[in-house]
Amino acid sequence: MVGYKYGAIDIGSVQYDECLKIQSTPLKCSWRSMGNIDDLYALRYSSNVYQYKIAIKVGNGTYMYDQPLKINTDAFKKYRDMYASFGLGVKTEIDLPVESSGYSSTDKAAGNLLDFVMGQYETYTPIQLSQYISTIANGGARIKPHLLKEVHSSSNTEEIGELEFSVEPIILNTIATEQVYFNRVKEGFYAVMHSPGGYGVGYIDDWMDASGKTGTSQSFIDTNNDGVIDTETITSTFIGYLPSSAPKVTFVVTSPDSSHPNSNIDYRSLVTYYLTREVARKYTELYGLY
């Protein structure tokens, strides 16, 4: 969305997915080299490099192998403003007494921007992710989430009391982008779930017409409670909505610190797939859509 808005890409723009090398930093790669890919392919197969190259263009930077990368730091604000319009990095205004807005950093090093655009730099809460996917599902309206549906008067019978008031939807903002770009993102989310090799294939049966996006990020924990973060882990997330043609349900499933990267356990098949898939299936069963 940021790339579309600021002219870094357009629908169908092709970029070459390759490992990037910035001076004095490790290689920054996708999970595999993908060659020439477009925006739809990048969503479907989770290309980090496609996002990196968008960010460099948004920041008016020029990439050269193993050279310093300079970007205009206002790119951070461009991304944050777009993320916030979906509910990421800001309070969702849910009807609870305390709400976290997640973690945000002020370090504007160029490499951090690349991490930022693929989910490795700041943190978001599950309710923020819920508001984000709901905003995509409904076509761009960020709606205030609530737990309370309605209030009824007390009753001395088995019948529910008279309705006193109900909570009406409140639109906090709408996404400032052309509908054609929204449709393109939704097309990508659908491909994740239904195209051969899509990362979400198998999570929910095809006939349910779901759209969604998987995500895997590095995370870090203090394993012995000494106040020092000492172990790198993997956090896996799956978000989506269904049916794609007329969404009624959105869902967020996250498995924090699900595995150590150097573990012999295949965290993707054991945690990301089986656990996340089963939670998503049970969720859809609950709403009578399975």
Side-chain angles (χ1 to χ4, degrees):
M1 288 294 192
V2 176
Y4 295 142
K5 180 174 181 177
Y6 293 100
I9 58 166
D10 207 335
I11 289 176
S13 290
V14 173
Q15 301 191 89
Y16 190 72
D17 184 297
E18 60 186 335
C19 290
L20 303 187
K21 180 65 174 73
I22 300 170
Q23 189 177 77
S24 303
T25 66
L27 285 172
K28 301 184 80 64
C29 310
S30 299
W31 62 277
R32 67 172 173 85
S33 295
M34 303 181 192
N36 285 318
I37 60 174
D38 66 7
D39 50 340
L40 208 59
Y41 192 103
L43 276 173
R44 178 175 157 193
Y45 291 108
S46 295
S47 167
N48 293 342
V49 174
Y50 197 93
Q51 298 283 14
Y52 295 154
K53 292 189 172 182
I54 292 174
I56 291 171
K57 291 180 181 179
V58 171
N60 296 316
T62 300
Y63 168 74
M64 295 183 66
Y65 188 86
D66 205 20
Q67 297 297 309
L69 176 63
K70 295 182 179 179
I71 55 104
N72 190 328
T73 57
D74 70 358
F76 281 92
K77 185 177 187 307
K78 290 176 179 178
Y79 274 95
R80 280 203 179 91
D81 287 349
M82 179 64 77
Y83 290 5
S85 68
F86 282 92
L88 299 175
V90 295
K91 293 185 177 181
T92 66
E93 300 189 27
I94 189 171
D95 51 349
L96 291 172
V98 178
E99 180 184 6
S100 169
S101 56
Y103 170 80
S104 181
S105 175
T106 58
D107 188 339
K108 295 184 179 180
N112 288 339
L113 179 66
L114 304 193
D115 292 338
F116 186 27
V117 303
M118 45 77 72
Q120 292 287 129
Y121 183 55
E122 299 190 337
T123 64
Y124 308 117
T125 66
I127 191 63
Q128 288 174 336
L129 292 173
S130 178
Q131 192 174 66
Y132 158 71
I133 191 61
S134 296
T135 303
I136 291 177
N138 69 36
R142 184 167 76 101
I143 298 175
K144 179 178 179 178
H146 57 85
L147 302 179
L148 178 66
K149 179 180 179 181
E150 55 191 27
V151 173
H152 291 256
S153 60
S154 59
S155 172
N156 294 324
T157 70
E158 293 184 358
E159 298 296 324
I160 193 168
E162 191 174 318
L163 176 67
E164 294 190 1
F165 71 89
S166 59
V167 176
E168 298 296 329
I170 297 175
I171 296 177
L172 301 174
N173 63 269
T174 55
I175 307 302
T177 192
E178 296 179 36
Q179 191 61 45
V180 65
Y181 296 135
F182 236 105
N183 293 342
R184 185 66 168 179
V185 170
K186 294 177 93 170
E187 186 180 355
F189 277 35
Y190 187 85
V192 168
M193 304 294 294
H194 299 278
S195 297
Y199 263 21
V201 171
Y203 279 71
I204 297 175
D205 289 345
D206 279 353
W207 68 267
M208 296 187 71
D209 189 38
S211 291
K213 188 73 182 72
T214 61
T216 304
S217 64
Q218 294 168 293
S219 44
F220 302 86
I221 59 174
D222 173 10
T223 56
N224 57 8
N225 297 316
D226 65 352
V228 178
I229 302 299
D230 52 38
T231 303
E232 179 181 340
T233 63
I234 294 295
T235 291
S236 303
T237 303
F238 175 53
I239 61 176
Y241 57 87
L242 58 89
S244 298
S245 55
K248 296 180 180 179
V249 173
T250 65
F251 49 86
V252 173
V253 183
T254 184
S255 303
D257 304 317
S258 57
S259 177
H260 296 180
N262 59 355
S263 171
N264 292 325
I265 297 174
D266 182 352
Y267 72 87
R268 177 171 171 75
S269 64
L270 291 180
V271 177
T272 306
Y273 186 74
Y274 289 109
L275 176 59
T276 305
R277 182 194 66 179
E278 288 307 305
V279 172
R281 284 177 180 270
K282 291 296 183 182
Y283 184 91
T284 52
E285 287 176 8
L286 179 65
Y287 279 84
L289 297 172
Y290 190 79

